[in-house]
């Protein structure tokens, strides 16, 4: 008998869900609740997956040019080889490369553009940066000391209107003071290649040989520091902490997370805000469950009265409607999770199909640096969204179930016609 009483609410609740008799409007509201919950969960999973995809794309493209970490000394580093060997003693550091960093103005026959100039050694640079693998034209190893060659980003080259073999003029933010007057410092460079990593750095970064950069910026044989590649780019802060604790005075340890921290904090904040706004869809679905259960309680007052007359307790009646509302929400969550995961995994193919049939391009690679919609499905997001949907479904059943438990058998049967 106790087992029968325990299964009774589940049996009746499932029967109410399957029932199509009498009040079709109540069933329609329940269907809307199910659809709204499924759509809300699906939209949340899909949008957060796309935002995760954009975050991953930005990180990977930035890491294609920006070093994982760098050891910098404002006075310059004379023996960069010894500094690099010292950094390699840390188990997290895998490679190093010297660099000289400065700003300048590149000018061609058709335009001018400010740039961040990196003086590098091609032999070492390939160990810390994959930019050599993103060359559209030319070869990164063509940078040789004394030849004053330069490798430009794709958008920078287009802005200047130059191709491989053309010449550009580099003006430095320093002046030459001579008895004849004050003159700007400039040097002519030949374009040896063009790279494209698909990020904003394509429009404002250029590479030359570090020995040429030493002469231009009057470094007296010194370099700005050494760039490092670590085993785990996302764990670079732990490596930086160890290096800071052992470094000599005047040496600054920089990381890509520190240099780009504001950007990724903004992306993370945007993800949270968008997720919160889209969670309102799930909340609306929960309100629909409240409405459908309230109407169901009003429609089933006679059934409730009969059950109470037969000895059913108020908590049993309450459990019936809690199970019913939770089941509707749970089915909606499961359906939304399945549809959302499938769409998140195949969104690039779906958008590509729409582009082919509708004849338009969603993302112009020249504007957005990407040719397809990125997506990254994370189980943490799926779990959080599922728990949110189930929690709201449970909360939505409390008020209607409480009202059902308070129905008095005598009054319900008296006014039932």
């Amino acid at each position: 008998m106790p087992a029968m009483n325990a299964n009774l609410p589940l049996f009746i609740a499932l029967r109410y869900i399957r029932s199509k008799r009498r009040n079709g409007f109540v069933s329609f509201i329940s269907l809307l609740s199910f659809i709204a919950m499924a759509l809300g969960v699906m939209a949340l999973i899909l949008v957060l997956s796309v935002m995760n995809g954009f975050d991953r794309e930005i990180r990977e493209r930035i890491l294609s040019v920006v070093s994982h970490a760098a050891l910098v000394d404002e006075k310059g580093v004379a023996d960069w080889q010894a500094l690099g060997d010292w950094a390699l003693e840390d188990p997290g550091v895998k490679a190093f490369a010297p660099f000289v960093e400065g700003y300048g103005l590149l000018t061609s026959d058709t335009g001018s553009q400010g740039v961040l100039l990196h003086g590098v050694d091609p032999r070492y640079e390939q160990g810390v940066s994959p930019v050599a693998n993103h060359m559209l034209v030319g070869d990164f190893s063509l940078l040789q000391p004394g030849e004053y060659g330069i490798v430009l980003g794709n958008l920078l080259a287009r802005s200047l209107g130059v191709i491989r073999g053309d010449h550009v003029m580099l003006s430095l933010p320093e002046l030459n003071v001579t008895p004849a007057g004050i003159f700007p410092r400039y040097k002519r460079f030949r374009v040896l290649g063009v790279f494209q990593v698909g990020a904003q750095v394509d429009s404002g970064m250029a590479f030359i040989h570090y020995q040429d950069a030493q002469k231009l910026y009057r470094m007296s044989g010194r370099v700005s520091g050494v760039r490092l590649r670590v085993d785990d780019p996302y764990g670079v802060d732990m490596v930086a902490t160890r290096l800071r604790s052992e470094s000599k005075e005047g040496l600054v340890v920089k990381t890509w997370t520190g240099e780009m921290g504001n950007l990724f904090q903004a992306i993370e904040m945007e993800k949270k805000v968008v997720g919160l706004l889209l969670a309102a869809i799930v909340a609306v679905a929960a309100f629909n469950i409240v409405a459908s259960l309230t109407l169901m309680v009003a429609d089933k007052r006679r059934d409730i009265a009969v059950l109470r007359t037969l000895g059913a307790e108020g908590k049993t009646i309450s459990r019936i409607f809690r199970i019913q509302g939770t089941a509707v929400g749970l089915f909606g969550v499961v359906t939304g999770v399945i549809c959302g995961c499938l769409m998140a995994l195949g969104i690039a193919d779906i958008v590509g199909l729409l582009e082919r049939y509708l004849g338009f391009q969603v993302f112009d690679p020249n504007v957005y640096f990407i040719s397809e919609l990125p997506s990254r499905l994370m189980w943490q997001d799926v779990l959080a969204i599922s728990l949110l949907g189930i929690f709201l479904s449970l909360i939505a059943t409390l008020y209607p179930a409480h009202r059902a438990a308070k129905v008095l058998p005598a009054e319900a049967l008296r006014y039932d016609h």
Side-chain angles (χ1 to χ4, degrees):
M1 191 70 176
M4 180 177 179
N5 291 334
N7 294 329
L8 182 63
L10 177 62
F11 173 77
I12 296 177
L14 294 179
R15 243 192 111 160
Y16 279 169
I17 293 174
R18 296 194 303 266
S19 177
K20 298 181 180 180
R21 298 185 297 108
R22 296 186 63 181
N23 199 334
F25 180 71
V26 176
S27 299
F28 178 70
I29 296 297
S30 299
L31 178 62
L32 286 183
S33 304
F34 164 78
I35 294 175
M37 183 63 71
L39 288 177
V41 170
M42 182 186 71
L44 261 175
I45 292 176
L46 182 59
V47 171
L48 293 184
S49 296
V50 170
M51 296 191 72
N52 290 333
F54 274 110
D55 180 69
R56 179 188 60 188
E57 287 291 323
I58 292 174
R59 290 176 187 268
E60 290 181 352
R61 292 173 189 271
I62 287 177
L63 287 174
S64 296
V65 177
V66 177
S67 59
H68 298 168
L71 303 177
V72 181
D73 194 328
E74 293 183 358
K75 298 179 181 179
V77 177
D79 191 354
W80 57 265
Q81 184 73 50
L83 180 61
D85 291 337
W86 170 78
L88 283 178
E89 294 177 2
D90 188 285
V93 179
K94 298 303 177 184
F96 71 91
F99 76 97
V100 176
E101 189 175 82
Y103 292 92
L105 178 69
L106 284 178
T107 306
S108 67
D109 295 335
T110 59
S112 60
Q113 177 74 41
V115 295
L116 175 61
L117 205 64
H118 280 287
V120 299
D121 187 330
R123 296 172 302 170
Y124 288 86
E125 187 67 17
Q126 295 184 23
V128 301
S129 171
V131 66
N133 300 326
H134 296 274
M135 297 295 294
L136 295 179
V137 179
D139 193 330
F140 200 75
S141 61
L142 294 175
L143 292 175
Q144 297 297 325
E147 296 185 2
Y148 292 98
I150 190 169
V151 174
L152 306 176
N154 179 43
L155 295 181
L156 177 59
R158 291 175 58 184
S159 175
L160 297 175
V162 296
I163 59 175
R164 181 183 179 186
D166 290 344
H167 289 82
V168 293
M169 192 68 67
L170 174 66
S171 301
L172 301 176
E174 295 180 3
L175 299 175
N176 274 331
V177 181
T178 67
I182 300 176
F183 300 96
R185 297 184 62 234
Y186 56 86
K187 183 65 181 179
R188 194 180 188 209
F189 282 80
R190 185 165 65 93
V191 179
L192 299 180
V194 176
F195 69 88
Q196 180 180 12
V197 297
Q200 197 63 37
V201 292
D202 288 349
S203 64
M205 185 175 289
F207 293 91
I208 62 176
H209 198 277
Y210 82 97
Q211 293 183 15
D212 295 339
Q214 286 175 329
K215 296 176 183 177
L216 288 172
Y217 293 102
R218 297 172 176 172
M219 298 291 291
S220 301
R222 296 174 176 266
V223 297
S224 301
V226 294
R227 304 171 67 189
L228 306 177
R229 179 175 66 85
V230 301
D231 187 38
D232 179 16
Y234 301 106
V236 68
D237 290 332
M238 297 178 61
V239 176
T241 300
R242 293 195 297 266
L243 293 176
R244 289 190 185 102
S245 65
E246 302 173 4
S247 63
K248 64 180 181 179
E249 184 178 356
L251 193 65
V252 178
V253 182
K254 297 183 179 180
T255 63
W256 73 273
T257 56
E259 297 294 311
M260 301 291 175
N262 292 335
L263 171 63
F264 294 113
Q265 287 177 8
I267 294 175
E268 187 65 25
M269 179 60 67
E270 183 180 7
K271 177 183 174 182
K272 291 179 180 178
V273 172
V274 171
L276 185 62
L277 293 175
L278 289 177
I281 301 177
V282 180
V284 169
F287 281 119
N288 285 340
I289 293 176
V290 175
S292 64
L293 283 183
T294 302
L295 292 173
M296 179 67 73
V297 170
D299 184 57
K300 301 295 184 182
R301 286 175 63 87
R302 183 175 182 276
D303 294 355
I304 295 172
V306 171
L307 288 172
R308 292 299 301 272
T309 304
L310 293 175
E313 298 179 355
K315 62 181 181 180
T316 302
I317 303 299
S318 176
R319 196 177 299 121
I320 291 173
F321 291 95
R322 287 206 307 270
I323 292 175
Q324 182 182 353
T326 304
V328 171
L330 183 60
F331 292 154
V333 168
V334 172
T335 303
V337 166
I338 294 174
C339 294
C341 291
L342 291 177
M343 290 193 67
L345 293 174
I347 188 64
D349 297 330
I350 295 173
V351 173
L353 187 65
L354 292 175
E355 287 179 342
R356 287 195 298 271
Y357 280 95
L358 299 180
F360 70 92
Q361 196 170 28
V362 176
F363 293 101
D364 184 355
N366 296 324
V367 178
Y368 298 102
F369 306 108
I370 58 174
S371 58
E372 61 181 24
L373 192 64
S375 177
R376 181 189 179 195
L377 184 64
M378 298 180 64
W379 68 266
Q380 299 96 323
D381 291 339
V382 175
L383 180 61
I385 293 168
S386 302
L387 293 177
L388 174 65
I390 295 172
F391 174 74
L392 291 178
S393 299
L394 288 171
I395 295 298
T397 63
L398 297 181
Y399 173 70
H402 176 72
R403 285 195 58 181
K406 295 299 181 181
V407 172
L408 299 177
E411 292 185 3
L413 293 174
R414 181 188 304 170
Y415 296 106
D416 183 70
H417 299 288

